[in-house]
Amino acid sequence: MLYTILLLVFGVQFFIPQLFAFPIPDLYTGFSKLNLPVPGPFGPDSVSRDPNNQGPYVGVSDGRILKYNGTDFVDFAYLSPNRSKQLCDGVTNLSLGPVCGRPLGFSFDPIFGYLYIVGAYGGFYRVGPQGGQATLLATSANGVTFNFLNGCEFDKLRRVVYFTDASLVYNFTDASLGIPAPPGDSSGRLLEYNTVTGEVRELLRNIPRPGGPAVSSDSSFIVYGSFTTQKVYKYYLIGPKAGASEVLINSLLGFPVKIKRAPEFGLFWGTANVIVQQQPRLTNGYGYKFNSQGDIIILKNFTAEYGNAQINVVQEYSDVIQGATLYVGSRSRSVNYVGVYTKWR
Ligand SMILES: *[C@@H]1O[C@H](CO)[C@@H](O)[C@H](O)[C@H]1NC(C)=O
Ligand SMILES: *[C@@H]1O[C@H](CO)[C@@H](O)[C@H](O)[C@H]1NC(C)=O
Ligand SMILES: *[C@@H]1O[C@H](CO)[C@@H](O)[C@H](O)[C@H]1NC(C)=O
Ligand SMILES: *[C@@H]1O[C@H](CO)[C@@H](O)[C@H](O)[C@H]1NC(C)=O
Ligand SMILES: *[C@@H]1O[C@H](CO)[C@@H](O)[C@H](O)[C@H]1NC(C)=O
């Protein structure tokens, strides 16, 4: 709260570097779980509220997007026209992935309420506020077919959606089976879908396995992490560096997945996963809040509540009753809930 006031009064750029010199206590101390249906899917790796502050919505392993109605997660949308509830609900068989679908990231258009969705098997979709079967909007850019779409974000000023394809040579199935990516793979892309013209553009290619992007509040730049380099990058949308990408955070403690905007102007939440043991794999998952200069102002350790699960997304909302709510998403098989951390005023 203290730094929220400082941010509001003095602005991010002036105050954060000073504050960063002091250890910031963990303010997000309340913890509870919103459980997914049982028996059922796992791996809610995207979590977000709609423009009316309802939800959260989650994309899960059996191909559904579910909406939390206050007491339960209920069906909201699905990607594949061939998806049958009987065959797919609760399914854990990866070979059925292409039939059942797998939403890996989504973002709401705050004005029209459409939900834009990226599918793990290479489709870019949209569904209306009533949900149901999503419409396939694109499967390729620049003549190159999408392979492993893993995150997206709506830009309300430009009315475009930014999204990432993690790799052209390594896919979601192999990643889920724990098969390592080909060494040196840097075939990832940063892409843009124009919601007005329907055009898809390639903003950047040859990225080493990018995770889901976030756009700054003023739409001047995009940030995205690289799984391989364990760095966060800043891609300029305007100004003298427009079209160029540079390192924003040089050395994370582990591999990042998605980045999302925090409620405060100029701040973001990223994730980092530290592999503490290979066989069997043990992971410690973290979230970090950072500013446009790349200063990390809060590091949050999720290991006590998430065990060895990989953390994919941290999405924060300001709340009237609590100070703020953090939703935490994970792709791991052991995670059949959305973790909710609360910060009290
Ligand atoms: C949420 O959905 C469940 C299952 O359909 C239903 O039983 C419950 O009444 C709903 N809750 C609200 C608040 O709408
Ligand atoms: C998974 O689904 C595939 C395709 O339908 C089927 O051939 C296979 O037997 C299934 N595997 C298991 C373990 O059920
Ligand atoms: C979905 O069904 C259609 C028609 O039955 C078929 O052509 C298509 O290959 C199927 N797609 C998948 C992903 O199974
Ligand atoms: C994923 O890639 C492997 C090759 O590494 C290929 O055998 C498999 O068919 C691909 N799966 C899908 C669903 O594209
Ligand atoms: C995060 O928490 C885990 C489990 O409580 C602990 O083993 C690990 O050392 C912590 N990481 C840091 C950087 O303190």
Side-chain angles (χ1 to χ4, degrees):
M1 191 59 195
L2 171 65
Y3 77 82
T4 311
I5 295 170
L6 296 176
L7 291 178
L8 290 175
V9 177
F10 297 104
V12 179
Q13 311 215 347
F14 181 69
F15 251 93
I16 293 299
Q18 280 91 336
L19 280 177
F20 189 45
F22 304 95
I24 298 198
D26 181 0
L27 303 168
Y28 303 87
T29 47
F31 179 70
S32 58
K33 292 178 178 180
L34 305 180
N35 292 309
L36 298 180
V38 180
F42 59 88
D45 82 358
S46 38
V47 186
S48 127
R49 289 183 187 166
D50 69 20
N52 298 319
N53 219 25
Q54 305 281 303
Y57 297 68
V58 295
V60 294
S61 59
D62 68 5
R64 285 179 287 175
I65 293 173
L66 305 172
K67 176 186 180 179
Y68 192 70
N69 69 359
T71 54
D72 299 89
F73 277 103
V74 295
D75 285 8
F76 176 70
Y78 56 98
L79 307 183
S80 167
N82 298 8
R83 188 182 193 282
S84 98
K85 283 184 71 63
Q86 199 187 353
L87 178 69
C88 296
D89 281 10
V91 75
T92 53
N93 183 344
L94 260 181
S95 344
L96 292 172
V99 174
C100 299
R102 176 56 160 125
L104 277 191
F106 48 65
S107 183
F108 280 98
D109 169 350
I111 296 171
F112 295 110
Y114 285 119
L115 182 63
Y116 289 88
I117 309 155
V118 291
Y121 302 99
F124 180 78
Y125 302 82
R126 177 172 79 183
V127 73
Q130 302 311 314
Q133 190 193 313
T135 305
L136 180 63
L137 300 174
T139 56
S140 69
N142 254 9
V144 178
T145 304
F146 304 150
N147 186 57
F148 186 173
L149 301 185
N150 64 354
C152 68
E153 171 136 288
F154 190 86
D155 179 337
K156 61 181 188 300
L157 294 184
R158 292 207 175 76
R159 304 208 53 77
V160 302
V161 186
Y162 306 112
F163 58 110
T164 40
D165 192 338
S167 171
L168 298 178
V169 296
Y170 181 59
N171 62 29
F172 177 72
T173 307
D174 284 354
S176 303
L177 292 171
I179 297 169
D185 170 26
S186 82
S187 59
R189 300 196 290 170
L190 177 63
L191 303 152
E192 174 192 286
Y193 175 84
N194 186 315
T195 66
V196 179
T197 62
E199 200 186 345
V200 186
R201 270 204 316 148
E202 186 184 88
L203 300 179
L204 211 53
R205 67 175 78 159
N206 302 328
I207 314 176
R209 296 181 64 209
V215 65
S216 63
S217 312
D218 62 1
S219 295
S220 64
F221 64 89
I222 297 170
V223 285
Y224 61 90
S226 160
F227 186 97
T228 318
T229 65
Q230 303 198 358
K231 296 180 199 292
V232 171
Y233 299 83
K234 181 172 184 174
Y235 173 88
Y236 291 87
L237 288 162
I238 57 169
K241 293 182 183 169
S245 180
E246 64 184 28
V247 174
L248 182 63
I249 303 178
N250 195 33
S251 169
L252 293 171
L253 71 171
F255 66 83
V257 190
K258 291 182 224 283
I259 297 176
K260 289 287 172 186
R261 259 200 323 270
E264 301 91 343
F265 186 87
L267 298 187
F268 300 90
W269 275 103
T271 61
N273 295 281
V274 181
I275 297 170
V276 290
Q277 182 186 303
Q278 277 297 351
Q279 286 300 334
R281 184 187 277 210
L282 302 180
T283 306
N284 287 353
Y286 299 85
Y288 48 93
K289 199 172 195 175
F290 65 97
N291 65 18
S292 349
Q293 279 69 52
D295 305 312
I296 292 178
I297 56 171
I298 293 175
L299 182 67
K300 171 89 182 146
N301 187 347
F302 296 118
T303 313
E305 297 80 24
Y306 275 80
N308 291 307
Q310 168 180 319
I311 301 299
N312 280 33
V313 76
V314 176
Q315 178 90 63
E316 179 173 4
Y317 294 93
S318 297
D319 275 318
V320 179
I321 300 176
Q322 288 111 241
T325 299
L326 282 190
Y327 293 119
V328 176
S330 167
R331 188 185 298 173
S332 295
R333 205 163 260 261
S334 60
V335 178
N336 57 357
Y337 58 88
V338 172
V340 185
Y341 293 82
T342 44
K343 181 176 85 172
W344 297 93
R345 289 177 187 282

